[in-house]
């Protein structure tokens, strides 16, 4: 029998090349911009994979990497974080995807990414889905033609089995065919986007509440919109929306904050913490990340998340500390 996992994540693993700049965006052509360093991190899906594992959520990547230096780097980084590599295929001769992550002195970031990769055979999904609780569906995988068919197979198999479907539209969602977008939204149980992404889908810009309400008409699931320091806005069709406030922390780097947020949201949803506690945990994980540079292994640790919650005035049960688990965190 296949091992039971909380979440299956079909993705294209990549390495982030982190470049902190001593300048503000935009970067002008024909100029030299001073940087502090360049570092490698298991980025892209690695952010959510690592953040999830650090709070006890069992999420497993499905995808392909190359047998090159960066593929070996990813395998080593994933193993050191206890991530299950059993569904990760190593393809001889494949170049492992990379993303250049530029971070300006205000903590804002921009990606220059390799978005193409090698899809897996859809038959790979069947066995692990028999015992999984949920899947994580990424808009990146819907936007790239090479991954579209296998991603829709991944989605449909999960829907047929009645699994929870977490959908992260991502910054390239505007590239997705509207018909495919409607097909996917119809089966999503938890949508997690931001104001820009939800605006791209609905056509409603600069009004997160109106955009969320419009999306509720197309998606029967829970709609969650990340709003940075403001926290998040959550609504379900037929119900009133609600804001859950964020945390006041120093902003160093927004990279991977959204991925950290999603890890907390999936954990809270799957482990029944309730909406308020789930949103608070997710907000705390995003806030804990923006306090430091980088992605991958720089996503928040358990203790950093606890620190943000306590500094925000939340009293945690003793079991959170003794068991190093948020399973008993309720509000």
């Amino acid at each position: 029998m296949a091992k039971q996992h909380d979440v299956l994540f079909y993705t294209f693993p990549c390495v982030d090349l982190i470049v902190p700049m001593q300048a503000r965006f935009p970067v002008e052509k024909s100029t030299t911009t001073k940087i502090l360093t360049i570092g490698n991190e298991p980025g892209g899906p690695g952010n959510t994979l690592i953040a999830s594992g650090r709070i006890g959520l069992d999420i497993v990547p499905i995808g392909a990497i190359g047998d090159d230096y960066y593929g070996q780097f990813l395998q080593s980084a994933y193993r050191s974080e206890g991530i299950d590599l059993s569904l990760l295929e190593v393809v001889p001769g494949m170049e492992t995807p990379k993303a250049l992550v530029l971070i300006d002195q205000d903590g804002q970031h921009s990606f220059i990414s390799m978005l193409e990769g090698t899809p897996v055979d859809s038959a790979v999904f069947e066995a692990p889905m028999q015992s999984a609780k949920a899947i994580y569906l990424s808009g990146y995988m819907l936007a790239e033609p090479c991954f579209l068919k296998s991603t829709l197979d991944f989605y449909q198999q999960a829907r047929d089995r009645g699994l929870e479907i977490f959908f992260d539209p991502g910054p390239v969602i505007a590239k997705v065919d509207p018909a495919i977008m409607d097909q996917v939204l119809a089966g999503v149980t938890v949508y997690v986007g931001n104001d820009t992404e939800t605006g791209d889908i609905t056509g409603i810009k600069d009004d997160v509440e109106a955009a969320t309400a419009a999306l509720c008409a197309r998606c029967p699931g829970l709609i969650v919109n990340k709003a940075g320091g403001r926290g998040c806005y959550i609504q379900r069709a037929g119900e009133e929306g609600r804001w859950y406030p964020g945390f006041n922390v120093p902003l160093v780097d927004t990279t991977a904050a959204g991925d950290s947020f999603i890890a907390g949201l999936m954990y809270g949803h799957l482990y029944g913490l309730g909406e308020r506690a789930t949103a608070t945990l997710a907000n705390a994980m995003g806030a804990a990340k923006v306090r430091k540079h980088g992605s991958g292994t720089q996503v928040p640790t358990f203790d950093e998340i606890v620190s943000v919650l306590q500094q925000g005035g939340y009293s945690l049960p003793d079991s959170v500390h003794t068991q190093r688990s948020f399973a008993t965190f309720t509000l």
Side-chain angles (χ1 to χ4, degrees), residues 257-298:
D259 298 326
S260 300
F261 176 100
I262 291 174
L265 190 88
M266 290 192 296
Y267 179 93
H269 185 81
L270 292 176
Y271 282 84
L273 300 191
E275 185 172 291
R276 184 183 174 199
T278 295
T280 301
L281 175 61
N283 283 335
M285 290 189 68
K289 169 59 206 56
V290 302
R291 298 194 303 179
K292 55 184 181 177
H293 273 298
S295 59
T297 59
Q298 300 308 307

Side-chain angles (χ1 to χ4, degrees), residues 186-206:
V188 165
T189 52
V190 182
Y191 166 98
V192 191
N194 60 32
D195 54 353
T196 300
E197 295 156 0
T198 304
D200 285 341
I201 294 172
T202 64
I204 300 174
K205 308 288 187 177
D206 304 320

Side-chain angles (χ1 to χ4, degrees), residues 18-41:
I18 308 294
V19 186
M21 305 184 300
Q22 292 188 319
R24 290 185 172 89
F25 289 124
V27 176
E28 301 291 342
K29 66 179 182 180
S30 303
T31 63
T32 297
T33 301
K34 185 177 181 179
I35 64 174
L36 302 175
T37 185
I38 299 178
N40 295 340
E41 287 288 351

